[in-house]
Amino acid sequence: MPRSPRHTAPADHVVHGLWPDVTLAPGAPLTAHYGVALARRLADVMTARSLSDRAVARLSGMSHNTIGRIARGEVLPDLGTIARLEVALQASLWPSGLWNTFPPESSQEPPPRF
């Protein structure tokens, strides 16, 4: 469930491909781009270490449903969740350099519609 009308699930903006190797719709919000990048990194770490959703859940103290929903782009994880995953996996998941692929005006997303 999104936190606000502006923060829809990243998977809601896919126009092509299979998650997380997807193309997002033109005009997809920044949060969708970050969600894809985070899901790709999580998938890479899980694949490299042969970890299932349940194994990551055990390591992080979260539910496997939460891990699966993040991995499928159904939710935007909060900072606390990302921190717990990074510490549990001892890997950086946050797409730290992604900001430089967007012009500064991209941060001025339109206000939510009610």
Side-chain angles (χ1 to χ4, degrees), residues 45-105:
V45 170
M46 289 174 67
T47 299
R49 298 182 187 172
S50 299
L51 296 171
S52 66
D53 292 355
R54 289 182 188 274
V56 174
R58 279 191 301 275
L59 290 170
S60 64
M62 291 186 253
S63 78
H64 73 278
N65 289 330
T66 297
I67 305 303
R69 293 183 73 213
I70 293 168
R72 291 187 302 272
E74 295 173 1
V75 296
L76 290 167
D78 61 28
L79 289 175
T81 298
I82 296 167
R84 288 172 65 188
L85 286 170
E86 287 186 334
V87 170
L89 296 170
Q90 291 293 285
S92 177
L93 300 176
W94 185 253
S96 61
L98 188 59
W99 64 268
N100 65 12
T101 63
F102 296 96
E105 60 272 11

Side-chain angles (χ1 to χ4, degrees), residues 8 55 83:
T8 55

